[in-house]
Amino acid sequence: MTKSAVFKDHWLGGLGVGNYGANYWLRSSASLVGIWANSNDEVIYFVGTQDADGQPLNGANNYILKFLAAKRPNAVVNAYWSVILVDVPDYRVVPNSLNRFNFNSDSGLKSDPDGSLRILIPRSPDASVPESNWLPAPDGKAFSLTLRAYVPKDMVKRGEWFPPAIERSR
């Protein structure tokens, strides 16, 4: 799928989604992971299936998605943002004890003292990150993250902003 759009920090950015023209790679990729896609003026999609080392995301590992204060998703949208965790290869939400499947602009996530935002993505919580920032992963199974930036600012539309690499925590 990395031929279908911009690939940066192990995220595939759906720049140009919704207006495919002759870009059949992009059209096919959008059909694989969803039914359809909005235009870039409405939303830009970022799909993460690999960690910072290029390894597939798997619930047997613990991950952290850390946004620096100036690069948090809310700083690059004019409306709303969300990040959802789904299984692979079916792209369905993963049942978990919290019934928590995504985070968004209104999730009440706790910031670090420096204004950065850490989202924890393991199968169980970790005391180093508030439980409010824990997005449960499927135990020992592959998964994918999709970050949506609704009504993105120009820097996102130009491909100057991407989510940070998903770090495997040791």
Side-chain angles (χ1 to χ4, degrees):
M1 272 203 312
T2 58
K3 294 180 181 181
S4 63
V6 177
F7 190 67
K8 182 178 176 187
D9 290 332
H10 298 281
W11 287 87
L12 189 66
L15 307 173
V17 175
N19 298 313
Y20 305 104
N23 188 338
Y24 300 107
W25 279 107
L26 185 57
R27 181 186 306 262
S28 297
S29 296
S31 294
L32 174 67
V33 298
I35 297 172
W36 58 280
N38 293 310
S39 71
N40 284 164
D41 287 334
E42 296 170 311
V43 64
I44 293 181
Y45 306 86
F46 299 93
V47 178
T49 59
Q50 300 176 353
D51 66 20
D53 297 323
Q55 297 302 307
L57 298 175
N58 188 295
N61 303 314
N62 297 332
Y63 302 96
I64 291 197
L65 179 58
K66 183 176 180 178
F67 296 93
L68 299 176
K71 296 189 176 206
R72 291 172 61 141
N74 54 313
V76 298
V77 296
N78 289 312
Y80 179 87
W81 67 270
S82 71
V83 62
I84 187 168
L85 186 149
V86 295
D87 67 0
V88 172
D90 297 326
Y91 296 97
R92 303 282 185 241
V93 295
V94 176
N96 63 73
S97 62
L98 297 177
N99 286 324
R100 183 179 292 162
F101 311 106
N102 72 333
F103 286 129
N104 59 51
S105 301
D106 299 319
S107 291
L109 299 170
K110 306 262 190 275
S111 299
D112 287 342
D114 64 0
S116 63
L117 174 66
R118 289 183 297 154
I119 295 175
L120 181 67
I121 312 159
R123 62 187 174 280
S124 57
D126 179 323
S128 70
V129 175
E131 187 175 294
S132 63
N133 294 29
W134 170 38
L135 189 56
D139 190 10
K141 296 181 181 173
F143 68 90
S144 170
L145 296 175
T146 300
L147 189 144
R148 294 173 177 90
Y150 290 93
V151 190
K153 294 185 178 179
D154 288 340
M155 66 186 304
V156 181
K157 292 188 219 177
R158 290 190 302 261
E160 296 168 6
W161 182 91
F162 263 68
I166 302 162
E167 299 286 340
R168 187 172 169 182
S169 58
R170 311 276 187 247

